[in-house]
Amino acid sequence: MRLKDKSTGAGAPCSSGLNIAKEAQGEIIVALAGNPNVGKSTVFNALTGMRQHTGNWPGKTVTNARGRYRHKDKDYVLVDLPGTYSLMSNSAEEETACDFLCFGAPDVTVVVADATCLERNLNLVLQTLEITGSVVVCVNLMDEAKKKGIGINLKLLSDILGVPVVGCCARSGKGLSDLADAVADIAGGRIRTTPLRPIYTKEIEYAVSLLQPPTEKAGTAGVSGRRTALRLPKDDTGVNLTERIVTRLLDICERIAGQVITYDKDDYSARDRKIDKVLTSKISGIPVMIMLLCAVFWITITGANVPSGLLAKGLFRLEEYLGELFNMLSAPKWLSGPVVEGMFRTLIWVISVMLPPMAIFFPLFTLLEDSGYLPRVAFNLDKFFKKACAHGKQSLTMCMGFGCNAVGVVGCRIIDSPRERLIAVITNSFIPCNGRFPALIAIITMFIAGRNAGPLGSLMSALVLAAVIVIGVAATFLASKILSKTILKGTASSFNLELPPYRRPQIGRVIVRSIFDKTFFVLRRAAVVAAPAGLIIWALANIRAGEVSLLESCAVFLDPFARLMGMDGYILLAFILGFPANELVIPIILMGYTAGGALTSAQNLSGLRSLLAANGWNWLTAVCVMLFSLMHWPCGTTCLTVYKETKSLKWTAAAFIVPTAAGTVLCLIVAGAFRLLGLS
Amino acid sequence: MNIEKIPLSSLPIGKKAKVTDLLSDGQLRRRMLDLGVAGGTEIEPLFKSPSGDPVAYLVRGAVIALRSDASDKILVAAE
């Protein structure tokens, strides 16, 4: 393994980029460790007031966040480590966490444990105690445990472990000040801990007694020589020894759990099992999944109609005023053109079309995420991924792709096998992101579902959108399979995934927070990307080389090929120019069509529809644009992220070519077939 | 009394058993130990996915989904 030698070799420098330099004297570094999905990020957010993304599924935090908080006149730096089950294994995130605990020299380590599953969590607590005694155990989710009739004797647990144990409920903030107090007491030396040190079998203790003196001599400050000695016999000859250590730890955990946990109900998870029966059974599992997807889309489309219209109306009125203002000031055409028709119109488009669906879709999606449903999706779909020789956790990275493909690509770190991780990275853009999703909705509303604006029309739109997503998912399976049989040959590795208990999402807070977040996100993107791009594209559309504008001559050049794909030159050009951000595709198309001021702006979807229809769009064009939007090169940010994650131009090229090839071929086939049949 | 060992994958849903042997090696074996699956651990198949594989198991209070290739390599003795 990559980091093994460094992380076991005493005195090795921290090699994982987790070095947190103390920026000011007197700052106290606190590491936040714990099993995946125990609410570390929630604790982190609650203490620091930051807004790390949280969700009820394991592996969500793949990068290390750091934040600051102040407690009783002292400054603390909090480092959120990736979730790990153990510190003895070899997966990348475990190495990261372990390296930081050993060599990042945190002053205090908080191990967050899940009260509803304490026994399994204790394993990591014991392993951490082998490294350092400056530990506070934070038993999170006490409210969930109480609901399930699980009682935990925190005082007894603290006595057994020899370190402070704080019960808390990070979502509501309960217990957090006690946690901060306990951290402060340890950092200030006001509490002396007597950490539980498990006694192993005679052979192990003998081996450790031999290894401990030399490792202590060469040791790093803060890491016990005993711990280093325990971790040394890790190569193949020592597997048995490590395993005996782990088994012994598991026994101890079981014993402690037996002492401190009481169950009021015989079957404390009966409710979860009932829900699972509906959400994962043979008969209802997949249909319920598709119905949920459709329901989310339906609510999104129906709900977005009204605010979208209002926003467009308001913003276009603003455009008129702006135009008049420029007139009044008798601003020259070269100024008012780019500002009003270039920047402002692009802004309007991006905001009025993107904002409402995003502000509705993401809160809904976050509710599903917080409830614990996403791991069940991975569970339901795993068989397909296995058939495609890919990893079941790929469904989680695909779900992240809905938000942003770049985020999805980073999220692929939760997949251990490098081959399967690459497959997930390369195929991630088959899931329409934030920037493409609203455009799909707009096109569906205009051309497929008809202008029937009633609930029936939105239902139709939702079904079509769900079908488009299903095509994207099917393309993902197919592409994964083809990759597994060609350039990424191999068989599926083993899959294991924790299915967390269902939690009732904090509906009000989720909705408010994610509407706020998404609004901010869309507006920021609009300002940073869409407005400048609008300026450039306006220039391209209006600067003339001879008779025609640059935009037009490029479009004319692309036109023959684009026609074969069921589109036209402007559309294909828009996809190419939309490389920096997918939100721009539709505004560019519009600017191409309306260049030269021949047409007034389309102020709502039906106006837009007539504009597009006047430029030769029919339903086949719409279908091909949607398919190509679903499957073409990932945006610039995503490509850059793929390069950062894979460190390879070859795989970045693959992530570019695979969806592009799929989309091109599919559009050629669809357009060709329908023309042959004379249907369009 | 002779206790019959069977692979975890053929243990029926709802039947508790104790792990007797881990046949896997390398990373998979380590992962199983991380999740708390070791000799003597009580384990219970809870429910199957729509296609029958993977299956969700109750291990030390947590629900863990395993593909059959992993559960084939865990031998258990029913209680």
Side-chain angles (χ1 to χ4, degrees):
Chain A
M1 281 266 106
R2 190 168 43 89
L3 292 170
K4 194 168 99 181
D5 298 323
K6 286 181 190 164
S7 55
T8 49
C14 174
S15 49
S16 51
L18 259 179
N19 251 330
I20 305 291
K22 291 194 191 195
E23 281 172 18
Q25 274 299 316
E27 255 182 358
I28 297 156
I29 297 180
V30 182
L32 206 56
N35 281 185
N37 204 41
V38 293
K40 281 187 305 303
S41 299
T42 315
V43 172
F44 179 89
N45 289 347
L47 280 175
T48 61
M50 285 170 72
R51 286 193 274 127
Q52 268 268 84
H53 182 83
T54 60
N56 185 8
W57 51 282
K60 184 189 52 47
T61 306
V62 286
T63 50
N64 305 283
R66 50 173 294 185
R68 288 159 190 286
Y69 71 93
R70 213 177 150 74
H71 181 71
K72 298 197 173 145
D73 297 327
K74 283 243 162 57
D75 289 314
Y76 296 81
V77 177
L78 194 61
V79 183
D80 190 10
L81 301 175
T84 58
Y85 290 112
S86 150
L87 297 172
M88 299 202 161
S89 195
N90 277 322
S91 75
E93 64 266 41
E94 285 176 17
E95 292 287 349
T96 318
C98 184
D99 273 6
F100 185 74
L101 292 180
C102 292
F103 308 114
D107 296 297
V108 184
T109 301
V110 174
V111 184
V112 183
D114 177 350
T116 62
C117 177
L118 189 63
E119 181 184 334
R120 221 268 318 283
N121 285 252
L122 281 174
N123 189 9
L124 183 74
V125 175
L126 293 186
Q127 292 190 27
T128 312
L129 289 178
E130 292 272 13
I131 297 176
T132 163
S134 306
V135 170
V136 178
V137 176
C138 166
V139 182
N140 191 21
L141 300 167
M142 289 296 281
D143 53 337
E144 293 287 325
K146 199 173 161 193
K147 260 188 232 159
K148 293 186 169 185
I150 301 173
I152 296 168
N153 187 337
L154 298 172
K155 172 79 180 59
L156 181 60
L157 183 60
S158 172
D159 289 344
I160 296 172
L161 295 175
V163 296
V165 175
V166 180
C168 88
C169 166
R171 293 203 309 182
S172 66
K174 217 158 127 191
L176 283 171
S177 63
D178 295 343
L179 178 63
D181 285 342
V183 169
D185 285 344
I186 288 200
R190 287 184 292 280
I191 294 184
R192 281 189 86 82
T193 58
T194 48
L196 174 71
R197 291 273 149 85
I199 307 296
Y200 300 102
T201 55
K202 240 190 243 157
E203 306 96 292
I204 296 173
E205 289 298 334
Y206 178 66
V208 168
S209 71
L210 290 181
L211 288 167
Q212 191 165 349
T215 49
E216 219 136 66
K217 229 169 159 185
T220 318
V223 184
S224 75
R226 180 184 163 82
R227 147 76 192 179
T228 316
L230 274 171
R231 221 173 112 88
L232 277 178
K234 210 171 124 180
D235 55 354
D236 293 340
T237 54
V239 158
N240 272 328
L241 207 51
T242 310
E243 197 164 317
R244 264 184 263 169
I245 293 173
V246 174
T247 312
R248 170 84 181 129
L249 285 177
L250 289 173
D251 282 346
I252 298 173
C253 295
E254 202 173 317
R255 203 134 22 94
I256 298 176
Q259 284 172 277
V260 301
I261 305 175
T262 50
Y263 297 97
D264 288 352
K265 298 177 197 162
D266 283 342
D267 193 3
Y268 58 88
S269 52
R271 185 195 60 138
D272 280 9
R273 296 296 83 79
K274 271 184 204 150
I275 303 176
D276 275 328
K277 208 160 208 164
V278 178
L279 295 183
T280 66
S281 85
K282 195 169 191 158
I283 303 161
S284 57
I286 304 239
V288 167
M289 201 172 74
I290 293 175
M291 267 161 53
L292 272 172
L293 191 72
C294 288
V296 166
F297 289 157
W298 182 75
I299 298 173
T300 304
I301 293 169
T302 314
N305 269 340
V306 176
S308 232
L310 286 177
L311 265 174
K313 213 169 168 179
L315 287 169
F316 275 110
R317 188 159 302 156
L318 202 62
E319 187 196 311
E320 279 168 31
Y321 291 146
L322 202 64
E324 279 170 28
L325 184 74
F326 272 84
N327 272 341
M328 247 164 54
L329 299 172
S330 47
K333 180 73 182 148
W334 59 261
L335 185 65
S336 66
V339 172
V340 179
E341 284 162 28
M343 283 170 69
F344 198 74
R345 203 169 283 172
T346 311
L347 264 181
I348 295 174
W349 231 96
V350 170
I351 292 173
S352 67
V353 171
M354 302 283 159
L355 188 53
M358 290 296 105
I360 296 172
F361 177 75
F362 280 94
L364 293 176
F365 195 76
T366 312
L367 288 181
L368 284 182
E369 190 180 355
D370 280 4
S371 68
Y373 183 58
L374 295 194
R376 269 80 183 178
V377 171
F379 181 67
N380 285 343
L381 291 178
D382 181 62
K383 186 80 175 189
F384 298 104
F385 285 101
K386 192 180 179 182
K387 275 191 185 149
C389 303
H391 201 284
K393 285 186 193 166
Q394 198 172 327
S395 15
L396 295 175
T397 65
M398 286 160 72
C399 286
M400 294 165 89
F402 269 120
C404 168
N405 292 130
V407 173
V409 166
V410 175
C412 292
R413 291 185 197 168
I414 58 170
I415 299 171
D416 286 334
S417 139
R419 186 188 71 84
E420 289 159 15
R421 189 183 320 139
L422 273 173
I423 290 178
V425 165
I426 292 171
T427 57
N428 193 272
S429 62
F430 282 121
I431 296 299
C433 65
N434 223 313
R436 294 183 273 164
F437 192 70
L440 290 175
I441 294 181
I443 295 173
I444 290 171
T445 314
M446 287 185 290
F447 285 93
I448 312 287
R451 272 156 294 177
N452 185 350
L456 205 67
S458 344
L459 186 64
M460 180 75 188
S461 302
L463 291 176
V464 175
L465 184 58
V468 172
I469 303 300
V470 169
I471 292 173
V473 173
T476 306
F477 289 135
L478 192 66
S480 302
K481 175 104 190 172
I482 293 172
L483 285 170
S484 293
K485 297 288 169 208
T486 53
I487 51 174
L488 283 165
K489 265 201 186 85
T491 48
S493 76
S494 187
F495 164 80
N496 51 72
L497 179 71
E498 189 173 348
L499 303 177
Y502 291 101
R503 292 176 200 154
R504 183 192 296 277
Q506 299 165 293
I507 298 171
R509 241 180 73 185
V510 163
I511 290 178
V512 170
R513 173 154 288 178
S514 62
I515 286 182
F516 182 78
D517 282 356
K518 274 297 143 189
T519 307
F520 181 74
F521 180 84
V522 172
L523 291 179
R524 202 180 65 100
R525 287 273 291 189
V528 174
V529 182
L535 196 66
I536 294 170
I537 292 149
W538 185 89
L540 287 178
N542 287 278
I543 293 173
R544 283 165 194 278
E547 281 301 293
V548 290
S549 73
L550 284 173
L551 199 68
E552 200 179 338
S553 50
C554 291
V556 168
F557 173 76
L558 290 170
D559 202 62
F561 184 63
R563 297 259 167 218
L564 284 179
M565 290 168 61
M567 304 190 279
D568 68 31
Y570 278 112
I571 304 173
L572 191 55
L573 183 63
F575 277 113
I576 294 171
L577 293 176
F579 181 67
N582 279 301
E583 290 93 326
L584 295 173
V585 172
I586 302 266
I588 298 174
I589 295 175
L590 295 183
M591 218 167 311
Y593 290 156
T594 58
L599 264 162
T600 51
S601 49
Q603 302 207 356
N604 53 36
L605 281 186
S606 69
L608 187 63
R609 188 187 187 281
S610 347
L611 170 63
L612 293 174
N615 282 279
W617 279 53
N618 55 22
W619 66 268
L620 180 62
T621 323
V623 167
C624 290
V625 171
M626 287 198 293
L627 287 176
F628 201 67
S629 172
L630 189 65
M631 302 176 204
H632 68 289
W633 47 86
C635 74
T637 316
T638 307
C639 286
L640 206 65
T641 310
V642 172
Y643 181 72
K644 273 189 201 149
E645 291 296 306
T646 61
K647 295 271 180 289
S648 145
L649 280 177
K650 183 180 146 198
W651 296 122
T652 313
F656 188 94
I657 292 166
V658 167
T660 309
T664 310
V665 170
L666 196 62
C667 284
L668 287 173
I669 291 174
V670 169
F674 278 91
R675 287 205 179 113
L676 269 182
L677 294 170
L679 285 173
S680 90
Chain B
M1 198 179 81
N2 200 7
I3 301 167
E4 200 194 347
K5 292 180 186 176
I6 52 165
L8 179 59
S9 49
S10 38
L11 189 67
I13 296 292
K15 183 133 174 105
K16 285 180 189 156
K18 275 218 159 86
V19 174
T20 58
D21 305 86
L22 282 181
L23 305 179
S24 52
D25 51 18
Q27 188 145 11
L28 178 60
R29 186 185 187 91
R30 272 195 297 269
R31 182 58 76 181
M32 290 301 113
L33 290 168
D34 288 347
L35 293 169
V37 181
T41 305
E42 191 182 84
I43 195 162
E44 177 192 344
L46 289 179
F47 52 92
K48 292 179 177 180
S49 68
S51 53
D53 182 30
V55 174
Y57 297 94
L58 182 67
V59 184
R60 295 180 192 271
V63 182
I64 311 282
L66 297 176
R67 274 184 186 167
S68 60
D69 55 353
S71 53
D72 281 342
K73 290 184 181 151
I74 300 170
L75 293 189
V76 296
E79 280 165 5

